[in-house]
Amino acid sequence: MAAKVSFWLLFCLFLKKIIAMRYCIPILLLLIIIGCADQKETKPFVSVHVEPLFEDSLSIRAIELMDNSLAFGANKGVFGSIDLNTKQVRTNMLKQDSILPEFRAVAHTATDFFMLSVGSPALLYKTGDNGMELVYKEEGEGVFYDAMTFWNDNEGIAIGDSVDGCLSIIITRDGGLSWNKITCTELPGAVDGAVDGEGAFAASNTNIKTIGEKAWVATTSGRIYFSGDKGKTWEVFKTPIQNREVAQGIYSLDFYNESLGIAIGGDYTKPEGNFANKAITLDGGKSWSLLADGQEPNYKSCVRFVPNSGGSGVVAAGFTGISYSSNQGENWSKLSDESFYTVRFLNDSIAYAAGKNRIAKLVFKTK
């Protein structure tokens, strides 16, 4: 800040014969105001209060904030919403023939809500005139869809495990009315020793992130599929996150902007492991560096940047508890042993989380 002011002060003095000093003073004041704003630091979280909102014998891995409500999808064909003002819970159950779908991915546009089930047959539903309507179905060996999101109200993406030798990616361009699967010839092949059967973990509906026209997809192989044109073309980036075992890889990723991203995972069968399970990128996913290797946190299924934190605040959650970093993942502290699968922030201090048998409100507190 001092350097900026000194530069402009010298600049004004140098040009004082050409530009009146009265024009430089407003510039100096503006720089001081901007500099003070830049220097304002958000206070770090020191604790989190967990307020239960909904409890039932369900596995809830997909939640979505929609206006003043929180929508969710669960197993046993159950889906519903919570009014965030009244805390009233509404639930429904959907049955397809004799199947009670297990929903682990949900998404929404300005007008519609979507749910996608795992396993074969994969069933993708959209709100319609008569409730939830089936808009996509896929059957076959290896079919298993993991996550879904939208770039905008017309274009959306869902991803799943490999079928016929490549990752499953389906895309809509008409607001979710129809979905088309990308062919293997349109996707990059395995590189750098990627493991066979590359897929994704349907743990929290957070292994896809979209910003603008870009999309990042995290896989079980510790790789990132990237598209800069809303899924028309793809390339693959490698991360140092460990993926030697079947249950290892990236479980979740988030981007604060088009450059700064973070990925986390581990091995849910060995949840205490904390080596090579978290990484950061500063160049949009092209290169990644390990974070806090061998330190807190251990296995986590969801990672989220704290809104309005400048990308410094990060929260990671899993059935192993809730951890927090105030410096882009360099150092972490464990805030709670409470178990959750997935988290969504409402603002910079309130989030909602879902897990085994429950949904809760998280209120993060500073000193």
Side-chain angles (χ1 to χ4, degrees), residues 196-328:
D196 292 334
E198 184 176 30
F201 293 107
S204 61
N205 194 36
T206 57
N207 41 34
I208 309 176
K209 179 67 178 184
T210 57
I211 298 178
E213 295 189 353
K214 298 182 178 182
W216 298 265
V217 174
T219 77
T220 55
S221 295
R223 303 198 302 166
I224 304 294
Y225 281 66
F226 172 75
S227 174
D229 53 12
K230 293 185 285 190
K232 296 181 179 69
T233 61
W234 293 86
E235 56 186 315
V236 173
F237 304 129
K238 186 176 176 59
T239 79
I241 289 183
Q242 196 172 50
N243 66 302
R244 296 175 183 174
E245 304 293 336
V246 174
Q248 291 177 338
I250 304 173
Y251 279 73
S252 176
L253 87 164
D254 194 18
F255 275 76
Y256 191 79
N257 52 42
E258 293 188 355
S259 299
L260 174 60
I262 192 167
I264 201 164
D267 186 336
Y268 79 92
T269 67
K270 302 172 184 176
E272 296 309 313
N274 54 20
F275 287 93
N277 74 319
K278 41 202 174 290
I280 190 170
T281 179
L282 303 177
D283 58 10
K286 295 177 182 178
S287 62
W288 295 78
S289 301
L290 289 177
L291 288 168
D293 199 21
Q295 303 173 40
E296 172 77 22
N298 50 18
Y299 163 77
K300 294 288 183 279
S301 57
C302 183
V303 65
R304 299 283 92 181
F305 279 106
V306 178
N308 305 317
S309 68
S312 294
V314 187
V315 166
F319 66 75
T320 54
I322 302 170
S323 296
Y324 165 72
S325 172
S326 62
N327 56 7
Q328 291 187 354

Side-chain angles (χ1 to χ4, degrees), residues 8 46 92 101:
W8 278 105
V46 295
N92 295 278

Side-chain angles (χ1 to χ4, degrees), residues 40-209:
K40 183 179 178 181
E41 296 182 1
T42 56
K43 294 182 179 180
F45 298 152
V46 295
S47 64
V48 59
H49 172 71
V50 179
E51 177 187 340
L53 296 179
F54 172 64
E55 295 182 350
D56 202 345
S57 56
L58 298 168
S59 175
I60 307 171
R61 295 180 179 269
I63 55 177
E64 189 87 348
L65 284 162
M66 299 174 59
D67 296 326
N68 292 318
S69 68
L70 182 76
F72 64 90
N75 61 340
K76 302 179 183 179
V78 175
F79 65 100
S81 65
I82 302 174
D83 188 305
L84 300 182
N85 294 323
T86 66
K87 299 180 183 178
Q88 182 178 359
V89 181
R90 295 182 175 87
T91 62
N92 295 278
M93 187 180 73
L94 191 153
K95 190 174 183 179
Q96 185 73 27
D97 299 325
S98 61
I99 299 171
L100 290 175
E102 180 177 356
F103 299 114
R104 295 198 190 182
V106 298
H108 80 285
T109 62
T111 56
D112 292 295
F113 177 60
F114 298 82
M115 307 185 301
L116 176 59
S117 70
V118 295
S120 178
L123 304 168
L124 200 164
Y125 296 89
K126 170 188 174 295
T127 48
D129 295 333
N130 299 306
M132 301 303 293
E133 298 179 354
L134 185 66
V135 292
Y136 181 82
K137 180 178 180 180
E138 184 178 341
E139 297 179 273
E141 184 179 354
V143 171
F144 195 96
Y145 277 85
D146 307 285
M148 173 173 55
T149 192
F150 277 77
W151 283 284
N152 51 54
D153 286 343
N154 289 318
E155 296 167 296
I157 177 175
I159 61 103
D161 293 355
S162 291
V163 174
D164 296 329
C166 70
L167 204 67
S168 296
I169 301 179
I170 59 173
I171 290 179
T172 180
R173 308 285 185 191
D174 58 8
L177 291 172
S178 63
W179 296 75
N180 297 298
K181 192 169 186 178
I182 295 178
T183 64
C184 289
T185 58
E186 299 174 89
L187 291 171
V191 295
D192 295 331
V195 298
D196 292 334
E198 184 176 30
F201 293 107
S204 61
N205 194 36
T206 57
N207 41 34
I208 309 176
K209 179 67 178 184

Side-chain angles (χ1 to χ4, degrees), residues 12 20-34:
C12 287
M21 182 62 74
R22 66 176 179 271
Y23 294 119
C24 290
I25 292 175
I27 294 175
L28 292 173
L29 291 174
L30 179 61
L31 284 169
I32 291 171
I33 292 171
I34 294 173

